[in-house]
Amino acid sequence: PQMKRSKEQRQLTTSLSKGDEVVINGGLAGRVTDVGEVYLTSEVAENVQVKVQKAPVRSGLPKGTLKNL
């Protein structure tokens, strides 16, 4: 089970692209605006961007989820 979770996490972090909506550990939700090799930039509010490591990304959200929050 642990190997399966780590494989899914690796797939999630490698497949991230601009425009994806994600939740980062700690509950911070945002839209990906830039993806680097180790870091990504996420817009969490209008004109508010945070740069975080890819590893703490917990899950992807369906498109349009952030509009409903």
Side-chain angles (χ1 to χ4, degrees), residues 23-68:
V23 176
I24 300 163
N25 285 342
L28 191 62
R31 182 173 292 108
V32 176
T33 58
D34 186 36
V35 180
E37 201 167 308
V38 178
Y39 294 94
L40 65 86
T41 304
S42 178
E43 184 175 41
V44 295
E46 191 172 328
N47 297 321
V48 179
Q49 296 184 351
V50 292
K51 187 174 234 179
V52 296
Q53 289 183 323
K54 286 182 176 181
V57 173
R58 184 172 58 202
S59 62
L61 298 172
K63 298 278 184 189
T65 302
L66 295 177
K67 290 181 182 178
N68 297 328

Side-chain angles (χ1 to χ4, degrees), residues 9-24:
Q9 179 67 24
R10 226 178 2 262
Q11 286 178 329
L12 174 64
T13 57
T14 57
S15 68
L16 288 172
S17 62
K18 186 176 178 178
D20 288 347
E21 296 177 0
V22 296
V23 176
I24 300 163

Side-chain angles (χ1 to χ4, degrees), residues 2-14:
Q2 184 176 0
M3 292 292 288
K4 182 179 177 183
R5 277 194 303 267
S6 65
K7 183 179 179 181
E8 290 172 352
Q9 179 67 24
R10 226 178 2 262
Q11 286 178 329
L12 174 64
T13 57
T14 57

